[in-house]
Amino acid sequence: LEFRRVLFRSGRASMGGNLCNASPAADSVPALVAAGCVVNIQGPKGKRSVPVEKFNAGPGKTSLKPGEIVVSLTLPARPKSSSDAYRRLIPRTEMDIAVVGMGVSLTMKGDTCVGARVGLGAVAPTVLRVEKAEKALIGSTLDDKALDAAAAACSAACKPIDDKRGTIKYRTKIAGVLLKRVARIARDRVKGVEHHMHEHWA
């Protein structure tokens, strides 16, 4: 799975630790959102589970209640003819933190997309699931019209800040650019075509 590649590249910490750090720019979280991950929590009042996209509440903040801990993450079985991809844009000469991160999981039936999940990071206080982008992809052949609509939905979902890594305008534009790129990679992986990363888009 793509999220395993992400974790291998992003360090040697645990997946749960990366999630609980609650950084909007965390590399693993958009991939987990795209994969439909569920967070399993144990606390004084028992067990509960939440979708990963609802776990973090803001930068450095989670939805954990006093005494609760994350005990496991559950990933649903991936349907046949499905694949996923994650890419991020990072400053070439500065810190290794995403300006924008994008995870996409697709299920294809022939040339038609019949299932999609989109996770978008580093453009809002938490990693986002962009359901409008998913709806734009589902039922399409991932033609330019569908990709343009999904890209526009990702840009519209952005609520970024200006910082040394990127401006609001730049992040908003890159969110749409990455959606198109990552959706095409996920589609090609269903067909067995592998894309080689180069360092700027690692």
Side-chain angles (χ1 to χ4, degrees), residues 44-174:
K45 296 183 179 180
K47 299 178 181 179
R48 65 187 182 97
S49 297
V50 297
V52 69
E53 61 267 26
K54 295 184 179 180
F55 178 76
N56 289 333
K61 299 178 181 179
T62 73
S63 60
L64 290 173
K65 299 172 183 176
E68 289 187 328
I69 61 170
V70 173
V71 293
S72 65
L73 303 177
T74 300
L75 291 159
R78 190 156 63 178
K80 183 180 178 181
S81 298
S82 299
S83 195
D84 51 25
Y86 172 81
R87 289 291 186 273
R88 61 179 178 158
L89 175 67
I90 61 172
R92 184 176 288 277
T93 58
E94 297 187 32
M95 63 186 92
D96 186 17
I97 302 175
V99 174
V100 180
M102 177 70 67
V104 176
S105 179
L106 299 177
T107 301
M108 305 295 293
K109 185 174 183 180
D111 291 329
T112 301
C113 175
V114 296
R117 286 182 63 97
V118 175
L120 176 59
V123 296
T126 63
V127 173
L128 306 173
R129 179 182 174 193
V130 190
E131 294 185 55
K132 287 185 178 180
E134 297 168 3
K135 290 177 182 177
L137 297 174
I138 294 170
S140 79
T141 57
L142 302 183
D143 53 276
D144 289 346
K145 182 179 179 181
L147 290 173
D148 285 346
C154 286
S155 292
C158 292
K159 297 177 182 178
I161 59 171
D162 284 315
D163 66 15
K164 64 184 291 185
R165 290 178 290 129
T167 64
I168 291 171
K169 183 177 180 180
Y170 183 62
R171 282 189 159 108
T172 300
K173 179 179 180 180
I174 291 299

Side-chain angles (χ1 to χ4, degrees), residues 14-66:
S14 71
M15 199 181 327
N18 192 239
L19 176 63
C20 290
N21 187 49
S23 168
D27 282 324
S28 65
V29 183
L32 290 172
V33 170
C37 177
V38 173
V39 185
N40 302 307
I41 298 164
Q42 176 73 57
K45 296 183 179 180
K47 299 178 181 179
R48 65 187 182 97
S49 297
V50 297
V52 69
E53 61 267 26
K54 295 184 179 180
F55 178 76
N56 289 333
K61 299 178 181 179
T62 73
S63 60
L64 290 173
K65 299 172 183 176

